[in-house]
Amino acid sequence: MRTKVIFIVLFLIVFSATQAEASVFRDTRENYEKTGNVIWEVNTKEKIVALTFDDGPHPIFTPQILDLLAKYKAKATFFAAGNKVERFPEVLKRVAKEGHEIANHTYSHIYSSRIPAEKLKEELLKTDSIIKNVTGRQPTLYRPVGGMHNDVIIDTAIKNGKTVILWSWHMDSKDWSRPPAGKMSKQIITGVKPGNIILFHDWIGSEYTETSQTVVALEDILKYLIKNGYECVTVSEMMYRSSNTLPEPIDPYNLNKKQTGL
């Protein structure tokens, strides 16, 4: 009898935990987008895209990226980690001075979808404070670490005044896996379309790394975009200039009619 009771208790604990975890993911991308608080890309006919860089600032690569952006008269959005900003505030000051957007990417880059609401709030507020002290401006945009999102993460971000920015899924450069620069640039160049949010990282590896395939690929990508009439703007500007931030509806009977990037 005692064994049976123990089994039932253990079952209920496991079942409750499973249900709680499952309930976290109750909404679809479509429903999240309808709120206007979660953005993957925007619906626009203007040839504009948003280049985004996560995890920095990096003492070597972020300045190199800034040099390229200046060369091609492009603007970008940098999702900065608070602990990196503390270490390299002068780099972030340059990002702000050159007219790029700075957004929140948490303080310590906790890679988990199960981050408690209070911990995430602490991470967001701490990073907001650090960025504001360095640049004089508080971020309004936030990108979850690894793109992980659920009701807890999104609701916490919204309650703390943030719009959640993800990226066009086909526009992940995957530079975090360190592919050859040519492979990276080819993926972006062949799949890009107006309204895309493109994902890069300005921090990969340690601060002592001397080369970045992201930097090498970025110049080819910028050359292509400018040559083909694209303008690289910040995420906020692209949202502002778009009459509708939702992607075009998918035709389930003719998915080959247009690329959706979903």
Side-chain angles (χ1 to χ4, degrees):
M1 181 67 178
R2 183 179 178 184
T3 302
K4 184 176 180 180
V5 170
I6 293 173
F7 174 79
I8 293 172
V9 170
L10 288 174
F11 172 79
L12 289 173
I13 290 172
V14 172
F15 178 79
S16 297
T18 302
Q19 290 300 101
E21 179 67 11
S23 68
V24 165
F25 296 90
R26 65 174 178 265
D27 261 341
T28 63
R29 168 175 171 172
E30 181 182 11
N31 287 336
Y32 281 136
E33 283 182 313
K34 284 179 179 178
T35 68
N37 294 313
V38 188
I39 307 297
W40 276 262
E41 55 201 359
V42 303
N43 181 16
T44 179
K45 293 181 179 179
E46 271 196 278
K47 295 188 81 171
I48 52 176
V49 294
L51 306 176
T52 65
F53 298 88
D54 287 8
D55 299 356
H58 190 283
I60 299 172
F61 302 144
T62 306
Q64 291 176 353
I65 288 168
L66 291 172
D67 289 343
L68 285 174
L69 295 174
K71 179 179 178 180
Y72 291 94
K73 297 180 174 57
K75 298 301 180 187
T77 299
F78 290 79
F79 289 86
N83 57 2
K84 305 288 178 41
V85 177
E86 282 184 330
R87 296 173 62 192
F88 309 107
E90 293 304 316
V91 178
L92 198 73
K93 284 181 182 178
R94 180 183 167 189
V95 174
K97 183 179 179 181
E98 296 186 7
H100 303 289
E101 183 170 31
I102 298 169
N104 194 314
H105 197 46
T106 73
Y107 177 80
S108 50
H109 201 269
I110 299 172
Y111 196 85
S112 173
S113 62
R114 299 184 182 184
I115 183 170
E118 282 304 310
K119 178 60 177 176
L120 177 56
K121 178 181 178 180
E122 176 189 324
E123 291 267 321
L124 291 173
L125 293 178
K126 188 173 183 179
T127 302
D128 275 354
S129 177
I130 292 168
I131 291 175
K132 187 173 182 180
N133 286 338
V134 172
T135 68
R137 294 186 178 183
Q138 182 169 304
T140 58
L141 306 183
Y142 153 68
R143 174 171 285 161
V145 174
M148 296 179 188
H149 61 282
N150 54 42
D151 289 349
V152 171
I153 290 173
I154 290 171
D155 290 348
T156 302
I158 293 170
K159 287 176 182 177
N160 286 277
K162 296 287 180 283
T163 298
V164 179
I165 305 297
L166 295 170
W167 60 86
S168 307
W169 289 146
H170 67 300
M171 286 287 101
D172 179 357
S173 67
K174 293 185 171 59
D175 55 356
W176 47 268
S177 64
R178 304 188 185 188
K183 181 178 180 181
M184 198 187 310
S185 58
K186 182 179 180 181
Q187 177 177 336
I188 302 302
I189 287 170
T190 57
V192 70
K193 65 177 183 177
N196 281 166
I197 297 175
I198 306 171
L199 174 65
F200 300 100
H201 295 77
D202 52 338
W203 186 292
I204 296 177
S206 74
E207 64 193 87
Y208 305 107
T209 307
E210 295 182 359
T211 59
S212 167
Q213 294 298 87
T214 300
V215 175
V216 177
L218 181 60
E219 182 152 29
D220 287 339
I221 293 168
L222 284 167
K223 284 179 180 177
Y224 174 86
L225 291 172
I226 302 306
K227 181 180 179 181
N228 286 273
Y230 279 93
E231 182 183 359
C232 298
V233 300
T234 65
V235 170
S236 288
E237 181 175 348
M238 188 163 72
M239 291 168 60
Y240 178 78
R241 287 167 59 173
S242 303
S243 58
N244 185 356
T245 57
L246 299 180
E248 295 180 34
I250 303 172
D251 179 356
Y253 301 104
N254 191 6
L255 291 178
N256 293 324
K257 192 173 182 180
K258 64 177 69 178
Q259 287 183 320
T260 64
L262 298 176

